[in-house]
Amino acid sequence: MTHILMIEDDGRLAGMVSDYLRQAGFGVSHAGDGAAGIAALRRHPTELVLLDLMLPDGDGLDVFRRIRALPAPIGQVPVIMLTAKGDPMDRVVGLEIGAEDYISKPFEPRELLARIRVVLRRGAVGQLAEDVLRFGRLEIDRGARQARLAGQDLPLTSHQFALLQAMAERPGRVLSREQLVEFAANRPQAYDPVLDRSVDVHVGRIRAIIEDDAKTPKRIITVRGAGYVFARAQD
């Protein structure tokens, strides 16, 4: 059974969401603050985390960073941010640091369930694909959801890997930011300038990891006014 951890200080909301997700066939546990959430992650195998942005013992973004600092595979667990804040910048920051998705309170349980399934399906698709894309020294292992450069594993987040995979599967094709988000998330996306900025930030971080010189990239090329193209020929 797929297990979800909800880190949320609102016990009433956590109870309602947990009951709904259990009815949908998931195993759910609840932690009321960041410290308890981190401890729960260490104790119990977890496939996805629902993380509130405002917690009694600190900012949810700080808790997210602490999760990512945990050793693999615990620290690689997909995270969906939950927040009552309405500032678009909170969404930008959450996506930029590697959260898989972001949903604002109040939300419809059906929407949350749909987003959870998309994130989990994205991981399952990667696990089913056993072929490795090779571009010179760069390898993109879709089965293991791991990229390697000259045989060394690269520290990409799940979302960054999805973006890289989306580009690498379409080498030589110019992809708009909207298309990249659609291909990476495996669902249609309405135009959103916040997501556009998030894509630019993530591409910059991917370049810093896979390029020999991020200032003069040879693998991911910017096409001004159009988007990005993944180079077919690489060293």
Side-chain angles (χ1 to χ4, degrees):
M1 178 183 292
T2 299
H3 183 261
I4 296 173
L5 170 65
M6 188 172 189
I7 305 177
E8 165 66 62
D9 65 329
D10 185 334
R12 181 173 175 273
L13 174 64
M16 292 173 57
V17 171
S18 296
D19 289 345
Y20 184 83
L21 294 179
R22 289 188 184 108
Q23 291 175 10
F26 294 100
V28 185
S29 59
H30 169 236
D33 57 44
I38 296 293
L41 271 177
R42 292 180 179 277
R43 289 194 308 268
H44 194 291
T46 300
E47 281 72 42
L48 185 139
V49 172
L50 301 176
L51 175 61
D52 186 25
L53 197 60
M54 300 179 67
L55 294 167
D57 60 343
D59 191 309
L61 296 175
D62 291 333
V63 175
F64 179 87
R65 295 184 181 97
R66 289 164 59 194
I67 291 174
R68 286 291 179 258
L70 294 172
I74 300 173
Q76 298 172 339
V77 62
V79 175
I80 296 178
M81 296 278 192
L82 308 175
T83 180
K85 289 186 174 183
D87 187 349
M89 286 306 299
D90 293 321
R91 183 179 180 186
V92 171
V93 173
L95 293 172
E96 285 181 353
I97 65 175
E100 269 62 40
D101 208 343
Y102 183 110
I103 186 168
S104 298
K105 302 175 186 175
F107 51 80
E108 283 288 336
R110 287 177 297 179
E111 180 185 1
L112 176 62
L113 178 60
R115 294 192 183 213
I116 288 171
R117 284 174 170 163
V118 166
V119 170
L120 294 174
R121 185 166 62 245
R122 186 190 308 162
V125 168
Q127 291 171 4
L128 291 172
E130 297 179 350
D131 53 319
V132 177
L133 303 175
R134 292 182 173 85
F135 301 88
R137 293 176 295 138
L138 179 65
E139 294 184 353
I140 300 169
D141 187 335
R142 292 182 289 187
R145 291 189 64 75
Q146 178 66 60
R148 305 180 188 90
L149 186 64
Q152 298 296 312
D153 289 349
L154 301 177
L156 296 170
T157 68
S158 176
H159 185 58
Q160 288 165 0
F161 180 87
L163 288 172
L164 177 60
Q165 178 179 330
M167 289 184 281
E169 288 176 339
R170 302 163 180 85
R173 175 179 169 184
V174 178
L175 300 175
S176 68
R177 293 165 181 81
E178 182 179 350
Q179 287 175 314
L180 274 174
V181 173
E182 287 185 4
F183 291 139
N186 194 30
R187 68 170 188 259
Q189 297 285 328
Y191 174 74
D192 186 340
V194 171
L195 289 179
D196 272 6
R197 175 176 174 181
S198 174
V199 168
D200 290 338
V201 171
H202 280 299
V203 168
R205 292 179 177 172
I206 294 169
R207 280 173 168 162
I209 293 171
I210 71 171
E211 300 281 3
D212 295 325
D213 182 355
K215 293 182 179 179
T216 55
K218 295 181 179 179
R219 296 185 171 92
I220 301 175
I221 311 301
T222 300
V223 180
R224 189 175 298 278
Y228 298 99
V229 61
F230 191 82
R232 291 180 182 275
Q234 301 179 19
D235 60 358

